[in-house]
């Protein structure tokens, strides 16, 4: 249940109604720059040989003004990637979130002080409780998943060379 809120968020269960019809979730951006987490970097394009354990930011420069500001950044690591790679695991760059069929009930359950997190997960099966998923969470808590991911990414980057 430690992961319940995050899993509900990841499944688009807790978003505002406007997120499901967002007119800004499109490739044609209206901002000078778009900043997001770069989910999946290195898995769907050229390899990425840097650590992703603390996350990697995605910056889309959408206008000349954005390009001018981005060009003034100092002491930052920048690596140009394709928009296709960014779109692979960042679907909101091109379309709104898909509304979870039980969104209203899930939000109502989270707001009900009589329901425990365990009760909510039992009712809606938000967190994957399979053996594989539980082992992954355990390895993550022990730091073993990060170690495995580092070794895997290193191996994968060497294999592509």
């Amino acid at each position: 249940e430690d992961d319940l809120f995050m899993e509900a968020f990841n499944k688009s269960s807790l978003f505002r109604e406007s997120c499901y019809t967002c007119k800004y979730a499109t490739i044609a951006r209206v901002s000078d720059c778009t900043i997001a987490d770069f989910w999946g970097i290195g898995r769907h394009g050229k390899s990425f040989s840097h650590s992703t354990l603390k996350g990697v930011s995605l910056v889309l420069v959408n206008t000349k003004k954005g390009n001018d500001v981005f060009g003034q950044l100092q002491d930052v690591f920048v690596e140009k990637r394709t928009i296709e790679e960014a779109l692979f695991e960042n679907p909101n760059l091109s379309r709104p979130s898909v509304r979870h069929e039980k969104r209203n009930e899930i939000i109502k359950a989270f707001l009900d002080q009589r329901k425990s997190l365990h009760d909510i997960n039992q009712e809606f099966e938000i967190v994957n409780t399979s053996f594989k998923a539980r082992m992954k969470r355990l390895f993550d808590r022990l730091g073993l998943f990060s170690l495995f991911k580092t070794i895997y990414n290193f191996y994968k980057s060497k294999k592509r060379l």
Side-chain angles (χ1 to χ4, degrees):
E1 279 94 32
D2 294 347
D3 302 323
L4 185 62
F5 181 82
M6 192 67 198
E7 284 298 315
F9 178 85
N10 287 339
K11 291 179 179 181
S12 305
S13 304
L14 305 175
F15 296 165
R16 296 171 57 98
E17 284 291 346
S18 59
C19 293
Y20 307 114
T21 57
C22 181
K23 65 182 181 179
Y24 301 108
T26 176
I27 294 290
R29 313 303 287 184
V30 297
S31 62
D32 295 315
C33 291
T34 302
I35 301 172
D37 292 325
F38 202 136
W39 298 111
I41 189 168
R43 287 196 294 255
H44 309 286
K46 65 181 180 177
S47 65
F48 186 70
S49 58
H50 305 277
S51 175
T52 59
L53 296 179
K54 293 184 179 179
V56 176
S57 295
L58 167 71
V59 179
L60 301 178
V61 177
N62 306 315
T63 66
K64 182 185 179 321
K65 181 179 179 183
N67 192 51
D68 292 345
V69 170
F70 188 76
Q72 294 175 23
L73 294 176
Q74 298 177 4
D75 298 322
V76 295
F77 171 78
V78 176
E79 184 174 311
K80 193 169 185 174
R81 309 297 284 206
T82 66
I83 189 67
E84 291 79 18
E85 180 182 10
L87 290 171
F88 227 95
E89 291 189 36
N90 298 278
N92 291 123
L93 293 174
S94 62
R95 63 172 171 73
S97 298
V98 176
R99 189 180 192 280
H100 191 284
E101 63 185 16
K102 295 185 178 180
R103 174 204 176 263
N104 290 348
E105 294 88 342
I106 291 170
I107 290 175
K108 188 175 180 180
F110 269 101
L111 294 173
D112 186 343
Q113 294 181 359
R114 296 169 296 172
K115 289 196 175 194
S116 70
L117 294 178
H118 179 77
D119 293 340
I120 295 169
N121 195 49
Q122 288 292 108
E123 183 175 350
F124 299 105
E125 299 176 352
I126 296 168
V127 174
N128 183 348
T129 57
S130 70
F131 178 75
K132 181 180 177 181
R134 288 186 317 216
M135 294 309 305
K136 181 184 177 291
R137 283 193 297 275
L138 175 64
F139 282 19
D140 194 30
R141 285 189 190 109
L142 296 173
L144 297 175
F145 183 73
S146 298
L147 176 64
F148 172 77
K149 187 174 176 182
T150 299
I151 294 168
Y152 175 79
N153 287 339
F154 176 78
Y155 170 76
K156 192 172 176 184
S157 69
K158 295 298 178 194
K159 189 175 177 183
R160 289 187 180 185
L161 295 177

